[in-house]
Amino acid sequence: VTSPYGYRRDPFTGKRTFHNGIDLRANFEPVYSMLPGEVIKVGHDKRAGIYITIQTGYFTITYCHLSNVLPKKKQFVKASERIGISGSTGRSTGPHLHITCKDRKQNHFNPLVLLYQPGVKL
């Protein structure tokens, strides 16, 4: 984890802002789905760059700043299925993977909740 969930100093403005996900070190490497689900959005915007959003159970997971996305909208993916290549698209200071999670009410929550496994050090 190169930048955790929560308040941090924004790398562009230097101001204290809320980081709505986590950044993981990834240098144009394969990205895999954390959990099974349906691809509900594949897109591109100024902030997230190229991204994919997967609906899985009661929440969504969005993988951002990708250089390439493999699945199409409405496609189902398995846990650990390759869904793209990390990159540095959008508002990014360099190659990495930004992951955000939202519940059904569209509230962000810390993605580490989904990655944490008892007995595994992060």
Side-chain angles (χ1 to χ4, degrees), residues 42-81:
V42 174
H44 179 274
D45 66 35
K46 290 179 187 178
R47 187 172 195 86
I50 298 170
Y51 65 90
I52 182 171
T53 302
I54 298 172
Q55 176 76 48
T56 179
Y58 294 101
F59 47 88
T60 60
I61 304 171
T62 302
Y63 305 82
C64 305
H65 306 301
L66 304 174
S67 61
N68 187 27
V69 172
L70 300 173
K72 306 292 184 212
K73 187 175 178 183
K74 296 188 178 182
Q75 185 175 334
F76 284 87
V77 296
K78 300 174 186 172
S80 76
E81 183 174 333

Side-chain angles (χ1 to χ4, degrees), residues 13-57:
T13 66
K15 295 181 181 177
R16 188 173 185 260
T17 58
F18 189 79
H19 189 224
N20 67 2
I22 59 171
D23 291 343
L24 300 176
R25 183 175 295 119
N27 192 11
F28 298 95
E29 299 169 54
V31 174
Y32 301 91
S33 180
M34 291 174 11
L35 294 167
E38 180 183 3
V39 177
I40 60 170
K41 196 167 188 183
V42 174
H44 179 274
D45 66 35
K46 290 179 187 178
R47 187 172 195 86
I50 298 170
Y51 65 90
I52 182 171
T53 302
I54 298 172
Q55 176 76 48
T56 179

